Amino acid sequence: MWQSSPPGSIYDHIKVASFSIGADGLIEQWSRRAAGLFGMSSAEVVGKDPIEAFMPAELRPDAHRRVGEILDGKEWTGLVPFRIPGENAVRGLAEIYVMPSETETGERAALCIVVDVGALRRIETDLAASQAIFGQSPFGFVLFGTDFTVVRANKRFATVFGGEADDHRGRTVDDYLARAEAERLSATLKRVLETGEAVTDLQLVGTPPGSVGRRHWSMNLYRVHSGSGRPVGIAGLATDVTQRHIAAREAASARRNLALLNEASARIGNSLDLETTARELLDVAVPGFCDLAYVDLYQGLLTGEEASPASWGRHHQESGTGSAQLRRVAHASAVSDGLAGVLPGGGGVTEADGDAGPPALGSVHRYAFHSPCAVALRTGRVEDVPGDERGFVHSTLAVPMVAHDVVVGLVQFSRTKGSEPFGERDRALATELAARAAVCIDNARLYRREHERALILQRSLLPPGDPEAAGLDIACRYLPGNTATEVGGDWFDVIELPGHRTALVVGDVMGRGLRAAVAMGELRTAVRTLALLDLEPAEVLSALDEVARGLGTPGGGERSDGFGAGGGAQWPSRAAHKSRDADLSEVYLATCVYAVYDPVTRRCTFANAGHLPPVVAEPGEPALLLDVPPGMPLGVGGEPFEEVEVELKEGALLALYTDGLVESRDHPLDEGLDAFREALAEPSQPLEDVCDHVLSTLDTRHGEDDIALLMARIQGLAPDAVGDWRLPRELRSVARARELARTQLTAWGLDDLVDTTELLVSELVTNALRYGEGEIRLRLLRDRTLVCEVWDAGLVQPRRRRARDTDEGGRGLQLVGLLSAAWGSRRTPRGKTVWFELALPDGAPAAELSVEQLLSMY
């Protein structure tokens, strides 16, 4: 029986052998296991004395006595040393059980069973160690059989899953885990049993009996073999890693939150537009932080009300009807469109028309007074919004958007079923995200307010409607930068001068923002004032330069620093001057081109202060840049301005413009100027069409800078609309002047103006004879009004004064002032010109002077 035991039996481990002793005390039978234990074959030992064969010499006498006793029928059990074969005479220790027996003939014999005590001790040690590991381990230990049922489980395993350790015998993984996890563990057990490859750190999730929370385990699995190497099962060691999993999840959440904050810093606030900033917030939050989000801003903030931000939410305290009006400006969802339609957009919503329901994007609504959203707006604290049991949202945070201790709006973050509900860490992150967006929105609000004020100021200083001028067909375009660009200092103006002349002005203050717009307004006003003094263009720019230097220096003093060296003939790049970091003095640096056009001679006089050159396109000729010395920008000082006089052909096109039309970051200035000239290839088209064609053709990169374009088509006064005479310096010239005026007005069909014109011409010619010098020149101009000019070589300017009762004269200029629409005087290169202007008759009777007006002259 022992020799035919199957492999892997207990006898393979404890080394049991047997042999028999005959009546003569010699070995009679020798088993194979005995041969293996003692290292001697049956041929070597059968017929020999076992004492002499195995026992050490010093023990043999006592051993012979014992054998004799056994053969006399006495059993014996004891420990006997023996020599281990092949171990260099090393002794082993065997436990021998000797049982007396009888032969067929009735003689006494003995049967001996031998057990290797060393092997038994090793087995005992292994069993003790195994029992200690299995029974005393603080980890769950389970042994699965080859049929994947539990063969044995330790006490720790039973503590987690209930009952006693023996109660778990025969159970399967389905008794411990949900279906998905059980199937995954079963597949792993099968793979380990088939391949013998161990599996470490298998992550499993389950809910132990009597527990409400899920636990996480890390399980190591390895195949168990018998002594012969045959697989007998799979051992599993499970460690509870729930706390480690929670810590890892919190660490991942912290990393995610830091990444979200970093992304928020980079993506929120890139625009100064309120709605865009709100959308940037949701782009960061969805789906990285939540599944659904809305942003509501106070309506007063969006409409630009001048009231303080705190007053937008004061409606909460002053009335119990609900929150102040809000507008839904942004919405983002990570769920499907069909699902998003049933998700709540904030509890307690009351629409302006009284209907309840989620507000649509762009709609104006209120929150009910006691709703979580209204409470959040009122208190400035985060509130939880209850989820709809029938809906898909189970966790919502209503987060007030607070900037500088003022609530500007509300953002709602929602998570749908399947996502983890918001925790305290999430509440802190939501507050931080909303606060960052709120600061950007408040900055955008302040910028929008300043931008709108600057636009109002800027546009109020531009010529209203379509300007008109004698001898000119005028069209203009002004395109401000988009809402993301600060207001600039571009301006243009058309100023009527005496003698039906016209001043054309285009300028650009360097810098941006409200200060640039204010500086532009001050300079434009100064230009108009200087133009009315009828100064030459170079004189106007020189005086304007002094004004600009006074404006640009704190205290109005003159600056000592220069702007570069030398005038040069190169047109300065405006990109080099425009800096958002310009200091107070730089903001008042400006470029300007000032031109005066005389329709009688069709001559135009230009002076330039660092501006781009005018462009002239004559019929049948390519457009040209006029060679006008650029000069230095206004506010620099130290350099005189030069004038250039150009005679323009009938029908020619004159264009003045700012750099926004021809210069951009992507194209050099020369390319822009060439493209502008090419766009004027057909100057004979209607002037409005030419303007539109220029703006649509040029790559203006609109939005980078303001654009001002002033175009004028030359239409000189017809020769028959001008009367020009020279009169000798003698008394009869007064009568001659009256006669010439009467004849000319009759030829023009202006009989209604003959008497008034005769009277006023007589007064001006008389003053020229009395106070002037040299030859007298009389000129009448008929266009939209009638202008009379009297020239002489005297330098003394006429001055209107009130005559005393005893004075016989001194009332001529008073009469001119009363009877004319306007009058004045200007210096000329060779004297002065005194002029007056009369409105052309419109068919209505001329107004007569009142008694008070007549008496005011006396």
Side-chain angles (χ1 to χ4, degrees):
M1 291 295 294
W2 292 334
Q3 295 299 328
S4 63
S5 61
S9 68
I10 188 63
Y11 305 108
D12 293 333
H13 297 280
I14 63 176
K15 294 184 179 181
V16 177
S18 66
F19 63 92
S20 64
I21 300 175
D24 55 0
L26 302 179
I27 297 175
E28 188 176 65
Q29 292 181 342
W30 188 252
S31 69
R32 292 179 182 178
R33 288 185 180 271
L37 177 64
F38 294 104
M40 301 176 71
S41 65
S42 60
E44 294 176 305
V45 297
V46 172
K48 291 184 178 182
D49 186 350
I51 304 302
E52 298 296 331
F54 308 116
M55 299 285 293
E58 65 274 14
L59 299 177
R60 290 174 184 172
D62 186 61
H64 283 294
R65 183 177 59 81
R66 294 286 183 184
V67 171
E69 294 177 354
I70 293 170
L71 294 176
D72 289 337
K74 190 176 182 179
E75 292 186 0
W76 180 82
T77 301
L79 297 176
V80 178
F82 67 94
R83 290 174 297 178
I84 300 176
E87 297 290 338
N88 297 323
V90 176
R91 294 183 180 184
L93 186 64
E95 184 178 49
I96 299 180
Y97 176 43
V98 182
M99 296 175 291
S101 63
E102 292 182 357
T103 64
E104 295 178 355
T105 60
E107 294 179 315
R108 300 287 181 91
L111 176 64
C112 300
I113 298 175
V114 183
V115 178
D116 188 349
V117 175
L120 287 175
R121 297 294 181 267
R122 287 194 300 271
I123 292 173
E124 289 176 355
T125 302
D126 291 343
L127 288 175
S130 175
Q131 182 62 30
I133 294 174
F134 198 86
Q136 302 174 24
S137 172
F139 309 111
F141 203 104
V142 61
L143 180 64
F144 294 96
T146 55
D147 59 352
F148 308 125
T149 61
V150 175
V151 175
R152 186 178 181 186
N154 69 349
K155 186 175 181 180
R156 176 59 182 168
F157 186 87
T159 301
V160 174
F161 290 98
E164 298 295 330
D166 292 339
D167 297 338
H168 293 272
R169 297 180 184 272
R171 293 184 180 179
T172 66
V173 294
D174 295 310
D175 297 319
Y176 303 105
L177 300 174
R179 180 177 180 180
E181 291 289 88
E183 289 178 352
R184 192 160 64 91
L185 179 56
S186 296
T188 306
L189 291 172
K190 182 178 180 181
R191 186 172 70 253
V192 172
L193 183 63
E194 291 176 350
T195 64
E197 296 179 359
V199 173
T200 59
D201 198 23
L202 175 64
Q203 297 292 318
L204 297 172
V205 180
T207 304
S211 176
V212 294
R214 295 192 303 175
R215 309 296 293 179
H216 295 259
W217 296 286
S218 172
M219 197 165 192
N220 298 329
L221 299 171
Y222 57 93
R223 192 170 67 182
V224 179
H225 304 85
S226 66
S228 62
R230 178 173 57 87
V232 294
I234 305 101
L237 181 65
T239 305
D240 192 327
V241 294
T242 304
Q243 293 302 321
R244 188 177 72 185
H245 181 81
I246 293 174
R249 185 174 59 188
E250 290 182 351
S253 176
R255 289 193 298 270
R256 181 201 64 185
N257 292 352
L258 289 175
L260 276 175
L261 289 177
N262 184 60
E263 184 180 5
S265 299
R267 297 180 61 182
I268 299 176
N270 294 322
S271 169
L272 288 173
D273 180 75
L274 300 176
E275 291 84 353
T276 301
T277 302
R279 288 193 296 271
E280 290 171 346
L281 167 62
L282 300 193
D283 289 342
V284 172
V286 178
F289 177 67
C290 62
D291 303 315
L292 187 70
Y294 302 92
V295 175
D296 299 318
L297 297 180
Y298 277 119
Q299 180 71 352
L301 181 147
L302 295 167
T303 56
E305 292 181 8
E306 291 296 328
S308 65
S311 66
W312 296 329
R314 196 171 296 153
H315 187 84
H316 291 299
Q317 288 77 24
E318 295 179 354
S319 71
T321 59
S323 68
Q325 285 188 334
L326 299 108
R327 185 192 304 172
R328 180 142 295 176
V329 297
H331 159 71
S333 174
V335 299
S336 63
D337 294 339
L339 181 60
V342 300
L343 295 176
V349 175
T350 302
E351 294 286 356
D353 58 4
D355 295 333
L361 188 65
S363 64
V364 178
H365 61 279
R366 301 177 188 271
Y367 287 108
F369 185 80
H370 295 291
S371 66
C373 293
V375 173
L377 289 168
R378 197 161 56 242
T379 63
R381 295 192 300 267
V382 180
E383 294 290 331
D384 292 312
V385 179
D388 186 356
E389 295 182 357
R390 298 171 298 173
F392 294 90
V393 170
H394 71 96
S395 184
T396 298
L397 296 178
V399 186
M401 306 179 72
V402 183
H404 309 112
D405 297 327
V406 175
V407 178
V408 299
L410 182 79
V411 56
Q412 295 181 66
F413 300 111
S414 298
R415 287 181 178 174
T416 57
K417 292 181 178 179
S419 301
E420 291 187 3
F422 291 112
E424 287 302 318
R425 191 188 300 272
D426 294 321
R427 292 170 69 94
L429 177 60
T431 302
E432 180 65 21
L433 289 174
R436 294 193 180 199
V439 171
C440 296
I441 285 174
D442 193 54
N443 291 339
R445 174 187 68 85
L446 296 175
Y447 170 79
R448 174 183 287 186
R449 184 179 66 182
E450 179 179 346
H451 188 266
E452 290 176 351
R453 290 177 178 178
L455 280 178
I456 292 172
L457 173 63
Q458 186 179 41
R459 291 171 181 174
S460 68
L461 297 174
L462 296 174
D466 296 326
E468 295 182 354
L472 292 175
D473 180 16
I474 295 179
C476 54
R477 294 288 186 275
Y478 179 78
L479 301 178
N482 59 31
T483 55
T485 306
E486 291 185 85
V487 172
D490 294 14
W491 92 90
F492 68 92
D493 209 346
V494 178
I495 307 171
E496 294 187 54
L497 300 178
H500 285 315
R501 293 171 305 132
T502 302
L504 304 175
V505 189
V506 168
D508 188 357
V509 176
M510 299 177 190
R512 296 185 182 279
L514 188 59
R515 289 197 300 171
V518 171
M520 178 271 284
E522 293 175 324
L523 292 177
R524 178 179 178 271
T525 302
V527 170
R528 278 192 159 266
T529 302
L530 294 170
L532 294 178
L533 296 178
D534 212 354
L535 302 177
E536 295 297 322
E539 293 177 328
V540 170
L541 293 185
S542 296
L544 193 61
D545 179 62
E546 295 293 333
V547 172
R549 284 194 290 165
L551 294 174
T553 303
E558 186 174 332
R559 293 199 320 230
S560 60
D561 57 321
F563 186 85
Q570 299 295 321
W571 300 107
S573 173
R574 300 280 293 128
H577 301 315
K578 290 191 173 182
S579 171
R580 294 178 181 268
D581 300 323
D583 59 20
L584 183 60
S585 62
E586 289 175 331
V587 111
Y588 287 101
L589 291 176
T591 63
C592 178
V593 60
Y594 185 89
V596 175
Y597 172 69
D598 188 342
V600 178
T601 61
R602 292 201 313 277
R603 301 186 71 84
C604 191
T605 304
F606 298 91
N608 193 352
H611 203 78
L612 296 172
V615 176
V616 173
E618 296 182 345
E621 299 291 338
L624 299 174
L625 297 176
L626 290 181
D627 188 12
V628 180
M632 300 301 291
L634 300 174
V636 174
E639 294 291 336
F641 298 99
E642 300 181 43
E643 292 182 359
V644 172
E645 188 176 63
V646 178
E647 183 175 351
L648 302 174
K649 293 183 179 179
E650 185 76 18
L653 194 62
L654 173 65
L656 306 179
Y657 52 95
T658 56
D659 63 320
L661 183 69
V662 295
E663 187 178 22
S664 71
R665 298 175 183 176
D666 301 329
H667 300 284
L669 179 60
D670 292 342
E671 289 185 9
L673 291 173
D674 292 340
F676 184 30
R677 291 167 52 202
E678 293 176 2
L680 298 176
E682 296 293 337
S684 59
Q685 295 180 351
L687 201 55
E688 295 292 336
D689 294 344
V690 174
C691 284
D692 294 337
H693 176 70
V694 168
L695 294 178
S696 62
T697 301
L698 267 63
D699 184 11
T700 61
R701 299 285 178 177
H702 184 50
E704 293 183 2
D705 197 3
D706 294 353
I707 295 175
L709 175 62
L710 178 61
M711 304 188 74
R713 177 168 285 122
I714 304 303
Q715 297 174 347
L717 292 182
D720 59 359
V722 179
D724 194 352
W725 306 276
R726 298 182 182 275
L727 303 173
R729 191 170 187 79
E730 53 189 32
L731 291 177
R732 63 179 183 176
S733 293
V734 177
R736 176 61 178 164
R738 287 198 300 268
E739 180 183 356
L740 291 172
R742 181 173 59 254
T743 303
Q744 185 64 67
L745 263 63
T746 302
W748 285 341
L750 301 177
D751 296 334
D752 293 342
L753 300 180
V754 169
D755 294 339
T756 302
T757 304
E758 278 192 86
L759 176 59
L760 299 185
V761 165
S762 177
E763 290 293 336
L764 295 187
V765 174
T766 300
N767 282 346
L769 289 173
R770 179 177 298 179
Y771 304 108
E773 299 176 7
E775 186 181 39
I776 299 172
R777 182 179 177 186
L778 171 66
R779 189 168 74 169
L780 294 177
L781 306 175
R782 176 179 61 85
D783 191 69
R784 293 177 298 132
T785 62
L786 175 67
V787 174
C788 175
E789 298 176 330
V790 176
W791 297 354
D792 70 81
L795 297 177
V796 178
Q797 295 290 320
R799 181 171 61 86
R800 181 177 176 180
R801 63 184 180 86
R802 181 178 295 277
R804 295 189 298 270
D805 294 343
T806 57
D807 292 342
E808 296 181 359
R811 298 178 178 85
L813 292 181
Q814 285 184 275
L815 188 63
V816 172
L818 288 172
L819 296 178
S820 64
W823 78 280
S825 66
R826 67 177 184 274
R827 288 179 297 177
T828 63
R830 292 181 299 276
K832 68 176 180 296
T833 299
V834 183
W835 57 272
F836 67 84
E837 184 176 346
L838 296 176
L840 298 182
D842 55 2
E848 297 183 356
L849 293 177
S850 65
V851 175
E852 289 77 7
Q853 290 175 321
L854 292 173
L855 291 176
S856 66
M857 294 187 295
Y858 296 94

